[in-house]
Amino acid sequence: MHTLKLTNSKQDIQTAGKLLKDGELVAIPTETVYGLAADALNGEAVANIFKAKGRPMDNPLIVHIADLSQVDDLVAFVPPVLEDLAKAFWPGPLTVILEKSELIPDEVSAGLDTVAIRMPSHPVARAIIKAAGTPLAAPSANTSGMPSPTTAAHVMHDMDGRIAAVVDGGPCEVGVESTVLTLCTRVPRILRPGRVTPEDLFDVLGDVEVDDAVLGQLAQGAVAASPGMKYKHYSPKAEVYIVDGSAEGFAKLVNEKDPATTAALVFDGEESLVECRTLPFGAEDDSLGQAEHLFDDLRKADELGVTDIFVRCPSAEGVGLAVMNRLLRAAEFRIIEVD
Ligand code: TXA
Ligand code: MG
């Protein structure tokens, strides 16, 4: 299959919409990461997403809408709190889990009786949903297990020849996937952290929990509230290690490694401390900047052809919780303590 490269022109957006309506797969930009979209109400088209990504069939997808009125048909009932959440965070990087309606194909919900819904804020994503005239199921547009794509070039690297088209909307602003919040527990619970922080949600909900799996490792045999959390994730080919401690302690550890096979993800301004190749991923106190650059840097480190990537341990406060959550999975929970 030849993968069409589309721009964000009106005409190309119409083309993308038509392809989607016809049951094809199209990668689309969103404010978080690029999504691999299909008509959410077409089970056959959605099944092809899993094939293109090599995604396990038991990991459900997020349904993307452009207008709040689209929610009604997709869910069994709309809890009153959804209105407050929508007012505060939609359109934007928040996904909400609700009880699903019969319209949702099993391929989307992976056999669960719930569905994940999000209204993206990216103008191109919204225009494509409208052009398709249907809600779009879309996971991140990476090969399963790889870092999520934050540029159209990342998408092409993973998906060229496997999907009908990719729409280039420029680099993604947020850089990590949406916050996933379930409203199906007694107290609303964050299953995956993102740009919308626990503090942001607390302000609207008055009460919110963070699932243990966000920073912890799922115990063997335990059932994941969000199936995506049980898989190795966001991993480049090289082994990733988080190093917790001072910049000097980090440099001492990394400078003992072979610079030919080692790369370091450092905070801005620390490049000169380290002898191997460095990729700055944001200032130490800038979680937003770190979120924006993390996946791109992990992919870049892989392109250097190194076998080991050492990463300065970020703060897990605010949006930092999302950065740490992704990094822990990329590193398979390996943390090295230094002075
Ligand atoms: O920012 C995002 O959310 C991006 C863009 C494209 O919108 N999408 C994205 O999709 O990250 P994906 O499939 O890579 O991640 C969806 C996560 C997975 O961890 C999945 O297990 C969880 O949401 N999820 C989806 N439906 C669920 C459900 N019904 N119950 C629990 N977890 C669910
Ligand atoms: Mg993903």
Side-chain angles (χ1 to χ4, degrees):
M1 183 190 296
H2 175 70
T3 301
L4 265 179
K5 283 195 219 168
L6 299 173
T7 69
N8 58 5
S9 71
K10 270 199 182 127
Q11 196 187 344
D12 279 6
I13 285 171
Q14 289 309 314
T15 304
K18 174 147 195 328
L19 285 168
L20 287 160
K21 196 62 211 168
D22 290 345
E24 301 285 348
L25 304 185
V26 178
I28 66 169
T30 84
E31 71 277 20
T32 55
V33 300
Y34 275 73
L36 181 50
D39 178 352
L41 306 182
N42 178 344
E44 218 174 297
V46 172
N48 286 330
I49 292 179
F50 289 85
K51 286 186 203 146
K53 280 182 60 90
R55 180 177 175 109
M57 288 296 289
D58 67 349
N59 194 5
L61 306 180
I62 297 171
V63 177
H64 296 68
I65 58 173
D67 195 284
L68 198 54
S69 65
Q70 286 177 292
V71 172
D72 296 352
D73 288 345
L74 303 174
V75 303
F77 75 104
V78 180
V81 68
L82 185 69
E83 208 173 301
D84 303 329
L85 288 168
K87 215 168 159 187
F89 304 112
W90 278 358
L94 175 69
T95 295
V96 173
I97 310 243
L98 296 163
E99 217 174 294
K100 73 169 191 172
S101 79
E102 278 169 12
L103 222 59
I104 301 292
D106 280 338
E107 288 84 354
V108 170
S109 51
L112 300 176
D113 50 16
T114 53
V115 62
I117 300 182
R118 142 164 147 82
M119 189 195 295
S121 64
H122 198 298
V124 177
R126 299 170 62 72
I128 294 171
I129 299 167
K130 284 182 189 151
T134 177
L136 299 178
S140 49
N142 52 294
T143 300
S144 207
M146 286 285 287
S148 294
T150 55
T151 66
H154 293 164
V155 176
M156 281 305 268
H157 177 274
D158 286 15
M159 291 296 154
D160 194 7
R162 297 172 159 265
I163 60 176
V166 53
V167 179
D168 193 342
C172 301
E173 201 181 304
V174 177
V176 294
E177 306 86 342
S178 61
T179 305
V180 177
L181 177 78
T182 180
L183 295 179
C184 298
T185 41
R186 197 181 56 78
V187 176
R189 178 177 299 177
I190 296 170
L191 302 182
R192 180 177 72 182
R195 171 73 182 81
V196 175
T197 65
E199 297 76 19
D200 295 335
L201 288 166
F202 186 87
D203 286 345
V204 171
L205 297 169
D207 204 1
V208 64
E209 292 172 350
V210 177
D211 198 271
D212 285 345
V214 163
L215 290 182
Q217 209 165 0
L218 205 64
Q220 212 157 26
V223 177
S226 187
M229 290 193 298
K230 69 184 177 197
Y231 297 109
K232 181 173 174 183
H233 247 137
Y234 317 116
S235 300
K237 294 190 192 79
E239 300 292 331
V240 178
Y241 302 87
I242 301 168
V243 183
D244 188 13
S246 67
E248 291 70 26
F250 179 87
K252 187 162 175 280
L253 175 92
V254 172
N255 288 341
E256 283 164 9
K257 311 287 173 190
D258 178 359
T261 57
T262 308
L265 260 66
V266 297
F267 297 132
D268 294 356
E270 295 176 354
E271 295 89 327
S272 61
L273 292 176
V274 177
E275 284 155 21
C276 67
R277 281 161 294 181
T278 54
L279 293 158
F281 73 114
E284 182 161 13
D285 61 355
D286 180 15
S287 297
L288 277 176
Q290 293 166 15
E292 188 184 344
H293 298 117
L294 179 66
F295 287 147
D296 185 43
D297 275 7
L298 288 175
R299 282 179 180 259
K300 277 186 184 142
D302 244 0
E303 276 163 27
L304 295 174
V306 300
T307 55
D308 298 287
I309 305 171
F310 294 88
V311 187
R312 284 271 274 138
C313 185
S315 151
E317 296 295 309
V319 180
L321 187 62
V323 177
M324 194 59 181
N325 169 271
R326 305 311 189 272
L327 210 43
L328 280 167
R329 277 156 186 78
E332 296 179 90
F333 292 88
R334 281 180 299 244
I335 303 186
I336 303 171
E337 307 280 345
V338 296
D339 290 342

